[in-house]
């Protein structure tokens, strides 16, 4: 061994001894700790020091490391998993109005939904707005229909009411129509239409033009947005999430990020946020990106809040457009090439496979001039992707941000595409077989529930909110594979797989202690799981029941 090799050997040995000698801040023991390392090892205990995992192993070996100041947490046999990471969730936008909206998550009937309206009405002043902004479907209701105007009026007769379903439908009470000065179709921008019954009378429903309609509603105050951000992220911690990848979204101009930055500056973030910027200015997207990113190099931020590039709308011409023109593709190419030259990650919204060649052709053209393999670009949605499309993505190093859209939308899509088509939507096993990196998520909250355990259950049984079996076994992953997509798969898209996604020595101590054992309970019970204790960087950010005493 030469002198240089000997020097490095001694340095590594000394470093290892120092690490082993360091007294842990926290030890969690007597549990079923699923590390999700390469071997999927399960251990009993884990030691945490300075926000990172110091050691894992048996109860006896790990407890020997404890010092007088070490916090000991008895897991009581509970299952521990790496903190979950949603690969595609509009969390920043959802948080802005979380404290001022009425939520129908988890309701199973219209009567339960109306009870939520009644409870919200009792807590608010008369003649103020009650807003349900999405995350539900009639398929979750026993009645298998949407509520009527008469029902929402009966639930909250002294309030203004707005109820939104996805981005295609809204329901208002008469007071809401009056406040927004909507009397006819001409008062609706963006192509919205008033729904009328067989007698020509309006029903209170509006179809189309939902984004500009929502923009007419009163905005929460800055204080309400900050409060909503704290509350929503705390709720995400409750369901086991320790990280989100946020793709921006409609209405998300730069000033809408101020509440998030406020919470971050005050060191109150309880979830790791990787965010990209979604273009807001039609025909000026390139100028917008270049202006905003001058002081936002890729990866700018810290371990809790970091800039993650551009998308999911890079250009208006390539967003929800299955037949882009040559000019629209050229406009996209210019921005994508610029992004590659500047080392920016890019994520692009794309739904149907029949037109994905338009996008992949452009990405391949960019790749010939500026290699993109190491930039971790991704395509979001693509629920009916084919092996050919995934092969092209694999060659480019492009990942797939996959969501549980079929949970809320599957029944309706089955009517249009046929039940057989739904058996492979989305084609999860095909993408895994090809080797595409998959990050799991929800696309919440306008069009989905943010709960990752609903998504995990759906990944395993393929059932819609109505309980209808849609996806077949040929595209159904197993429990370990599904969990990896929600951990290391999403961490890859965030450029963080070296630091999170599994519970290994040196990685951040991001974890969740579950109410039930994800690996052994019946699949239909998985959506009932939540976290008893959630830790981000060694700090307890959520704790309940017998673990409550550990929340500082």
């Amino acid at each position: 061994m030469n002198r240089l090799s000997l020097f490095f050997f001694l340095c590594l040995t000394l470093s290892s001894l120092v690490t082993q000698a360091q007294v842990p801040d926290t030890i969690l023991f007597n549990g079923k700790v699923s590390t999700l390392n390469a071997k999927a090892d399960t251990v009993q205990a884990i030691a945490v020091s300075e926000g990172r995992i110091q050691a894992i192993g048996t109860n006896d070996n790990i407890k020997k490391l404890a010092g007088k100041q070490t916090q000991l947490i008895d897991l009581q046999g509970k299952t521990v998993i790496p903190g979950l990471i949603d690969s595609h969730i509009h969390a920043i936008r959802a948080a802005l109005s979380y404290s001022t909206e009425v939520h129908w998550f988890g309701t199973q009937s219209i009567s339960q939904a109306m009870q939520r309206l009644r409870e919200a009405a009792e807590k608010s002043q008369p003649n103020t707005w009650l807003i349900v902004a999405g995350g539900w479907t009639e398929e979750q209701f026993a009645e298998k229909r949407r509520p009527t105007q008469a029902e929402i009026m009966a639930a909250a007769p002294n309030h203004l009411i707005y109820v939104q379903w996805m981005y295609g439908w809204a329901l208002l009470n008469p007071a809401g129509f009056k406040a927004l000065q909507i009397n006819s179709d001409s008062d609706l921008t963006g192509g919205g239409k008033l729904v009328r019954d067989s007698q020509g009378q309006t029903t209170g429903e509006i179809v189309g033009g939902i984004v500009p309609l929502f923009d007419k509603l009163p905005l929460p105050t800055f204080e309400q947005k900050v409060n909503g951000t704290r509350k929503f992220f705390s709720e995400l911690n409750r369901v086991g999430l320790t990280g989100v990848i946020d793709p921006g979204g409609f209405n998300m101009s730069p000033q809408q990020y101020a509440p998030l930055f406020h919470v971050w500056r005050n060191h109150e973030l309880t979830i790791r946020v990787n965010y990209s910027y979604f273009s807001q200015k039609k025909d000026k997207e390139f100028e917008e990106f270049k202006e905003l990113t001058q002081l936002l190099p890729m990866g700018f931020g810290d371990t809790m809040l970091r800039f993650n590039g551009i998308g999911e709308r890079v250009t208006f011409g390539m967003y929800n457009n299955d037949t882009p023109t040559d000019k629209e593709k050229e406009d996209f190419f210019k921005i994508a090439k610029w992004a590659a030259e500047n080392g920016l990650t890019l994520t692009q919204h794309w739904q149907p496979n029949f037109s994905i060649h338009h996008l992949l052709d452009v990405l391949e053209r960019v790749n010939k001039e500026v290699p993109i393999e190491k930039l971790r670009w991704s395509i979001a949605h693509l629920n009916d992707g084919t092996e050919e499309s995934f092969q092209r993505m694999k060659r480019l190093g492009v990942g797939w941000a996959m969501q549980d859209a079929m949970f809320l939308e599957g029944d309706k899509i089955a009517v249009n595409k046929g039940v057989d088509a739904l058996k492979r939507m989305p084609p999860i096993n095909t993408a895994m077989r090809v080797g595409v990196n998959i990050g799991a998520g929800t696309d919440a909250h306008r069009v989905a529930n943010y709960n990752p355990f609903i998504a995990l259950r759906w990944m395993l049984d393929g059932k819609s909110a109505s309980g209808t079996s849609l996806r077949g076994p040929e595209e159904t992953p197993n429990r370990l594979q599904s969990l990896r997509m929600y951990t290391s798969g999403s961490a890859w898209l965030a450029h963080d797989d070296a630091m999170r996604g599994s519970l290994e020595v040196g990685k951040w101590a991001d974890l969740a202690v579950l109410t039930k054992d994800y690996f052994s309970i019946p699949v239909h019970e998985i959506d009932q799981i939540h976290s008893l204790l959630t830790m981000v960087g060694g700090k307890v950010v959520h704790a309940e029941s017998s673990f409550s005493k550990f929340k500082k």
Side-chain angles (χ1 to χ4, degrees):
M1 181 180 292
N2 59 38
R3 291 182 178 180
L4 184 61
S5 298
L6 178 61
F7 172 75
F8 280 115
F9 173 77
L10 291 173
C11 286
L12 288 171
T13 302
L14 179 61
S15 175
S16 176
L17 290 172
V18 168
T19 299
Q20 292 177 22
Q22 189 171 13
V23 176
D25 300 317
T26 304
I27 286 177
L28 302 96
F29 66 96
N30 191 26
K32 182 181 177 183
V33 182
S34 179
T35 65
L36 262 66
N37 62 11
K39 296 180 179 180
D41 291 327
T42 298
V43 299
Q44 293 177 314
I46 184 168
V48 176
S49 179
E50 297 183 350
R52 299 194 183 194
I53 298 171
Q54 179 182 346
I56 58 173
T58 65
N59 290 329
D60 291 341
N61 289 340
I62 300 302
K63 289 178 74 174
K64 287 178 182 178
L65 302 175
K68 292 182 179 180
Q69 301 302 316
T70 301
Q71 177 177 241
L72 298 175
I73 300 178
D74 185 348
L75 295 169
Q76 305 165 38
K78 297 296 184 181
T79 295
V80 180
I81 62 171
L84 301 175
I85 307 166
D86 192 310
S87 69
H88 190 92
I89 177 173
H90 301 272
I92 301 170
R93 183 180 64 192
L96 295 177
S97 56
Y98 185 73
S99 65
T100 60
E101 290 181 358
V102 181
H103 304 286
W104 287 354
F105 303 122
T107 55
Q108 298 178 344
S109 66
I110 289 177
S111 62
Q112 288 183 3
M114 294 306 102
Q115 180 60 26
R116 297 268 181 99
L117 279 179
R118 279 190 290 273
E119 291 171 354
E122 291 171 358
K123 297 176 183 178
S124 59
Q125 294 295 320
N127 301 315
T128 55
W129 281 96
L130 301 179
I131 298 171
V132 180
W136 63 277
T137 178
E138 62 264 37
E139 300 300 337
Q140 76 193 57
F141 296 151
E143 298 86 349
K144 300 295 184 259
R145 64 173 176 82
R146 300 171 194 172
T148 65
Q149 188 183 66
E151 287 170 327
I152 64 173
M153 289 171 64
N158 300 315
H159 287 73
L160 298 81
I161 305 173
Y162 174 92
V163 177
Q164 179 175 318
W165 173 82
M166 305 290 181
Y167 283 106
W169 177 93
L171 176 69
L172 287 78
N173 65 349
F177 276 103
K178 183 178 180 180
L180 298 182
Q181 299 181 344
I182 299 173
N183 299 300
S184 66
D185 291 352
S186 62
D187 298 320
L188 296 168
T189 57
K193 300 288 183 183
L194 296 174
V195 176
R196 299 179 182 274
D197 61 22
S198 57
Q199 281 74 46
Q201 299 298 311
T202 57
T203 64
E205 301 164 282
I206 296 173
V207 293
I210 299 302
V211 172
L213 175 64
F214 187 84
D215 287 345
K216 290 186 175 184
L217 298 172
L219 294 173
T221 65
F222 182 79
E223 291 73 19
Q224 288 172 327
K225 291 177 180 179
V226 169
N227 187 41
T229 298
R230 295 191 190 103
K231 284 187 173 182
F232 186 57
F233 289 174
S234 179
E235 169 63 8
L236 296 184
N237 296 147
R238 186 188 70 82
V239 293
L241 284 163
T242 59
V244 296
I245 302 176
D246 190 295
F250 302 122
N251 321 105
M252 287 302 293
S253 56
Q255 58 266 34
Q256 297 303 322
Y257 290 79
L260 169 69
F261 297 153
H262 177 88
V263 174
W264 170 67
R265 284 198 309 273
N266 288 324
H267 305 288
E268 296 175 328
L269 269 184
T270 62
I271 199 160
R272 301 187 195 277
V273 179
N274 295 72
Y275 69 98
S276 55
Y277 189 73
F278 183 110
S279 65
Q280 303 291 320
K281 300 178 181 179
K282 190 175 187 298
D283 299 325
K284 295 183 178 180
E285 301 95 331
F286 205 173
E287 292 82 355
E288 184 181 14
F289 286 134
K290 287 190 288 187
E291 177 68 23
L292 289 173
T293 59
Q294 289 182 77
L295 296 176
L296 279 177
M298 181 63 198
F300 183 78
D302 62 13
T303 60
M304 293 302 295
L305 179 66
R306 193 181 313 145
F307 180 60
N308 203 48
I310 64 173
E312 65 179 298
R313 181 166 69 192
V314 177
T315 62
F316 280 66
M318 289 280 279
Y319 185 85
N320 269 352
N321 183 3
D322 298 332
T323 57
T325 64
D326 289 342
K327 181 183 182 306
E328 288 170 333
K329 287 188 279 190
E330 184 64 24
D331 290 342
F332 185 97
F333 168 77
K334 290 177 181 177
I335 295 178
K337 180 173 179 286
W338 164 83
E341 290 170 339
N342 286 275
L344 292 171
T345 290
L346 180 152
T347 184
Q348 177 63 31
H349 167 112
W350 206 277
Q351 295 281 9
N353 186 80
F354 78 83
S355 61
I356 192 66
H357 63 278
H358 292 296
L359 175 61
L360 292 174
D361 289 347
V362 176
L363 298 186
E364 288 169 348
R365 182 183 166 197
V366 171
N367 188 59
K368 288 179 181 179
E369 299 195 26
V370 185
I372 65 173
E373 182 180 7
K374 296 181 180 180
L375 299 180
R376 303 195 180 186
W377 288 12
S378 63
I379 297 173
H381 315 313
L382 193 62
N383 289 306
D384 62 343
T386 62
E387 182 165 347
E388 178 187 4
S389 297
F390 290 128
Q391 290 284 6
R392 294 178 71 179
M393 291 166 62
K394 172 65 175 176
R395 287 193 291 270
L396 290 167
V398 171
W400 182 27
M402 182 274 303
Q403 305 87 43
D404 62 334
M406 296 305 105
F407 176 70
L408 290 184
E409 300 181 67
D411 292 284
K412 288 182 174 57
I413 294 176
V415 173
N416 297 324
K417 290 182 174 288
V419 175
D420 287 343
L422 269 292
K423 289 181 179 179
R424 61 174 307 277
M425 288 180 66
I428 300 174
N429 284 357
T430 296
M432 284 196 300
R433 184 175 65 252
V434 170
V436 170
N437 188 89
I438 309 171
T442 59
D443 203 16
H445 81 309
R446 292 280 187 267
V447 301
N449 192 315
Y450 52 78
N451 189 333
F453 289 101
I454 291 177
L456 284 164
R457 194 217 74 186
W458 162 85
M459 290 166 71
L460 295 169
D461 68 13
K463 291 182 179 179
S464 67
S466 69
T468 304
S469 294
L470 297 172
R471 184 166 19 87
E474 63 273 16
E475 294 294 355
T476 298
N478 62 37
R479 298 193 194 206
L480 179 61
Q481 290 168 332
S482 299
L483 194 57
R484 286 194 190 281
M485 291 178 223
Y486 241 114
T487 51
S488 56
S490 293
W492 183 91
L493 292 173
H495 298 261
D496 275 344
D497 48 314
M499 292 306 300
R500 55 178 169 152
S502 60
L503 300 176
E504 299 181 77
V505 174
K507 290 193 172 185
W508 294 326
D510 295 1
L511 57 86
V513 181
L514 306 184
T515 53
K516 298 182 179 183
D517 181 19
Y518 164 81
F519 293 99
S520 66
I521 63 172
V523 169
H524 71 267
E525 293 182 12
I526 287 176
D527 60 354
Q528 300 169 29
I529 295 175
H530 66 274
S531 179
L532 291 168
L533 181 145
T534 305
M535 185 176 280
V536 176
K539 178 182 178 181
V540 176
V541 294
H542 168 78
E544 60 182 72
S545 188
S546 61
F547 295 96
S548 297
K549 60 187 176 184
F550 299 113
K551 177 78 181 291
K552 295 180 180 179

